Amino acid sequence: MSEASDSPPPSQNPVISETYDASKLGKLEGLEAVRKKPGMYIGGTDERALHHCVSEVLDNSVDEHLAGHCSRIEVTIHVDGSISIRDNGRGIPVDIHPQYGIPGVEMVLTTLHSGGKYGQGGYKFSGGTHGVGAKCVNAVSEWFEVEVSRGGQVHHMRFERGKTIKKLEVIGKARATGTYITFKPDNEIFRETTVFQTGRISQRLRELAFLNSGLEIAFLDERPAGSKPETYYYKDGVEEFVKQINTGKTPLHPKPIRITKETSVKNDDKQSEIHLEVVLQYNDTYNDQVLCYTNTIHNPDGGTHLSGFRSALTRAINQFSKANNLLKDKDPQITGDDVREGLAAVISIKHSDPKFESQTKVKLLSPEVESIVGSVCYEGLMMAFETTPSIAKRIVDKSLNAARAREAARKARETVRKGALSGGGLPGKLADCSERDPALTELYIVEGDSAGGSAKQGRDRRFQAILPLRGKLINTEKARLDKVLSNEEIRTLITACGTGIGEGDESVGGFNVNKARYHRIIIMTDADVDGSHIRTLLLTFIYRQMKGLIERGYIYIAQPPLYKIKRKKREQYVDNDEQLNRILLELGSEDVVLKRLKDQHVFAPAVIDRIVESLAAIEKLGAGVTRYGAGLAEYLDHHEKETHALPRYIARLREGNKESHEFLRDESARAAFLERQGLNADLTPVLADSGTTPPLPVEKKPVAPARRVTLHEIFESTEMTKLLKAIAASGLEINRFSTTEEARYTVTENVGQKTETTTELRAPLEILGHIRSLGRKGLSIQRYKGLGEMNPKQLFETTMDPDKRRLLKVSIDDAAKADALFTLLMGDEVPPRRQFIEDNALNVQYLDV
Ligand code: 0RA
């Protein structure tokens, strides 16, 4: 986004800033523009855009690091779905801007055209769309808070949907500097989802730590109970990144080759600064993994940096082999494909003015980059080869082997293609459907013969085809293409799909998506480690060899249920634990009477449902409070009687082995508390170190004092207040959540029956607990461990029936991430990790098909 220097004075919120004269009222829309057209500013309103918001805020902190002012960043996802990004940079300026008359921080966060003084922060390289990043996030946040530590003071502001709600205010003394931003994405904007994906965020943070050597990044997801912070810190940055890619593989040479260069070029009469870092290390596999970045932004489609590097590599290897007489006459020519076998590399460039193909920056276009990367890499490689010729010889050998195998692979592909396209030879294991129009048919790839058998019996044979896969699939990561293609299971799969495989078009034996025999290809595996392994292998293969199927949206993952529950005559399948919990509450509140004893008021069934739902949500959010040693009921009792506003902070005091806590309503209560205690305002504890990181040079860790005070912000308070309002509106008395002496409610079950029982309850949360226990009564819960435990009818009803099933659609974005991740984060055989990665990163969207 470009920034106009002659832009009009920035907009102001009229409600808050009465001090600004009416002449400025005309520009009041400001961030409204972002809310009206989020696509233009944050690239949409989907899950990707949601995570993009985190990157925008994060990029500012990373820029502080690049400018040499920030050594540590902390990211925390809170229980209410908000997220915090804290850095120890200089802090956003808080002084009043001479021209606009508002504090720098307010300008940075509310005015679209804040160029000039605080727009760029003097950064040379910038990942984000600077000058708009944080303010756009502010605009699409239900609420957004910033705390700036600067000049010995902690300053605070709060915004809601981009509007200033609390003006800049000093809330205490600061011992250091930094910026602390927390925001909750607005579900009026992000209608699909506002749930942050742990895997997506942790992967980005790890990536950033790799690309910014010496930057320490801590991450905590507070949502799961008992979760612990992780710390990413890589002293050797990109070099460690490449080593990580090669984890579990055997490197061809112990030390990665590293090439760097800082230069500047003139382009279109503009001087651009370019920094280049390329690190590569060969391994013993047959695939290549080259990751490209511009200003720390991943470019999955490569671009001019990639093509420059590729041609340099091919040239250097050919040049070295020629100069050293390593080629025999009968040897084939070494091509670009050959030199990439077993290559792990990361190309990271910093560019002061990069050009990308699109808003999403998937591909770098800047033409000047190609020749710079090309010549720098060629020289660097030749230098490395000449310094250690033994290593160079190993690399040439590997490339030559690849060249010789290339012919074999081509033949193998040809055979597979002929087999697949000749029509006659559909595999015997495939139970095809009768419908011939691919748009109407679907293929289930099923793990194991027994589940395959059930699927064949249970399916609708008109349009559902079944392909059972037996045993372990070949790991396509570990074998060269010709070997992969000689694998029976893989061949059957290719033949059944009908598209052929590989790069290049059909005329060279390549892939043709229009030949797909089914427009839904559904992977159905067990919900265990083996199943997830098989799914991973299938997806990796499809991603690498039949990518078009994913691009067209033809690939799905089946969702077998996790539980079957049974009560009396009723049977129900349950997909996950959350749903199970909901069902328990539903069952528990069926046919019960809830009575308020004070006035014998009986709640209507619909009202009971609403009360139970709100109480359950409060209980879930309350986990955040109990983390800090307070009871949930006790916390809720501190709500303000009129507005139901809950305390925003909790202070924990520890003296020797005595512990106590105090709730603090808002920023001013917090300031008063700190004043009383004689404490700085930025004492909020940093995320605990995981122990992997060396001590920081900048921030000296204080010695643990005998007396310790920690301060925690309860971000959930906003959300919980809403719920309290809803409960109060339903007529439940919420003045006291703590248990009282006398009973306040009764719940009667089996109303009108012989077994009718009435239970007295003394607190709102007791009602919830009691109803849940009623739901559990007489219920049998069966957990499915594999598809094989279902009979054909059950399998169809739960997982294959288009009217009832849920399918996850695999998107190319997810698949690309997954593919990079498989090699990025994993050792060889670490199935639980694999499971984690799949669950988190391969976050496929829910679809009712
Ligand atoms: C504008 C100017 C300066 C710093 C920043 C913005 C800044 C923004 C963010 C956002 C998150 N963390 C941040 N840290 C700094 C320069 C300030 C100076 O010159 O002291």
Side-chain angles (χ1 to χ4, degrees), residues 62 79 103 186 311 444 456 594 650 721 766 838:
V62 173
V79 180
D186 188 355
S311 70
Y444 273 86
K456 280 183 192 175
L594 172 66
I650 178 169
T721 293
E766 275 187 11
E838 264 197 69

Side-chain angles (χ1 to χ4, degrees), residues 60-61 64 87 90-93 118 121 123 150 179:
N60 291 312
S61 301
E64 274 294 284
D87 66 54
R90 289 169 291 180
I92 308 178
Y118 298 131
Y123 304 124
R150 203 176 148 102
T179 304

Side-chain angles (χ1 to χ4, degrees), residues 302-321:
T304 46
H305 43 4
L306 179 61
S307 48
F309 169 73
R310 281 186 170 175
S311 70
L313 187 66
T314 314
R315 262 197 305 144
I317 288 179
N318 273 302
Q319 176 59 30
F320 183 85
S321 36

Side-chain angles (χ1 to χ4, degrees), residues 654-670:
R654 244 166 294 178
E655 221 158 340
N657 43 16
K658 270 218 309 263
E659 266 205 53
S660 61
H661 57 258
E662 191 172 324
F663 293 111
L664 306 168
R665 180 146 313 286
D666 53 16
E667 284 73 31
S668 53
R670 168 182 151 170

Side-chain angles (χ1 to χ4, degrees), residues 472-477 490 532-542 822 834 838:
K472 277 252 180 278
L473 212 63
I474 185 168
N475 187 344
T476 55
E477 188 96 318
I490 290 282
S532 114
H533 196 180
I534 291 173
R535 183 166 70 236
T536 302
L537 291 175
L538 277 172
L539 281 174
T540 316
F541 179 76
I542 294 171
F822 295 147
R834 205 176 271 267
E838 264 197 69

